[in-house]
Amino acid sequence: PSYEQKSIPKMTNQFILLGSNQPSENTILIHQDVKLFLAFLTKNAKLSYSLSRYRQCWLQVVKGQIKLNIIIQECINADF
């Protein structure tokens, strides 16, 4: 286990990469195949993010309301 602490820049209306499995000067190292983002949004701001194939995401709203448009694509050749 490890511990890191870094300052988060307060940039509005854009995704800020907080951590990933490829550390850099501005991000923390996470020992998983993950990218962790943060966004400070102003009213009526719009952001988009494209997921790579076979990837999933989680969205956590801390304060306020959000309108989310999701395009669901058909799953082809899935193994269950």
Side-chain angles (χ1 to χ4, degrees), residues 35 49-57 73:
K35 289 182 181 176
Y49 185 82
S50 297
L51 292 174
S52 300
R53 192 171 186 184
Y54 304 117
R55 301 300 292 186
Q56 298 177 4
C57 68
Q73 297 182 349

Side-chain angles (χ1 to χ4, degrees), residues 2 8 12 27 32-33 35 40 46 61 68 79:
S2 64
I8 300 170
T12 57
T27 64
Q32 295 290 323
D33 184 13
K35 289 182 181 176
F40 299 101
K46 294 181 180 182
V61 179
L68 183 65
D79 293 325

Side-chain angles (χ1 to χ4, degrees):
S2 64
Y3 171 82
E4 290 183 67
Q5 183 173 332
K6 298 197 178 187
S7 297
I8 300 170
K10 182 125 185 204
M11 300 180 288
T12 57
N13 303 325
Q14 60 184 303
F15 289 112
I16 303 165
L17 182 62
L18 299 178
S20 74
N21 62 354
Q22 298 179 357
S24 72
E25 183 178 329
N26 300 320
T27 64
I28 60 170
L29 173 64
I30 301 174
H31 297 282
Q32 295 290 323
D33 184 13
V34 66
K35 289 182 181 176
L36 178 64
F37 292 96
L38 169 73
F40 299 101
L41 302 177
T42 59
K43 187 174 183 175
N44 297 321
K46 294 181 180 182
L47 285 179
S48 65
Y49 185 82
S50 297
L51 292 174
S52 300
R53 192 171 186 184
Y54 304 117
R55 301 300 292 186
Q56 298 177 4
C57 68
W58 173 272
L59 177 65
Q60 180 74 46
V61 179
V62 176
K63 182 179 178 181
Q65 297 178 339
I66 190 166
K67 180 180 179 182
L68 183 65
N69 295 323
I70 299 176
I71 299 172
I72 301 173
Q73 297 182 349
E74 183 178 352
C75 182
I76 300 172
N77 295 327
D79 293 325
F80 293 103

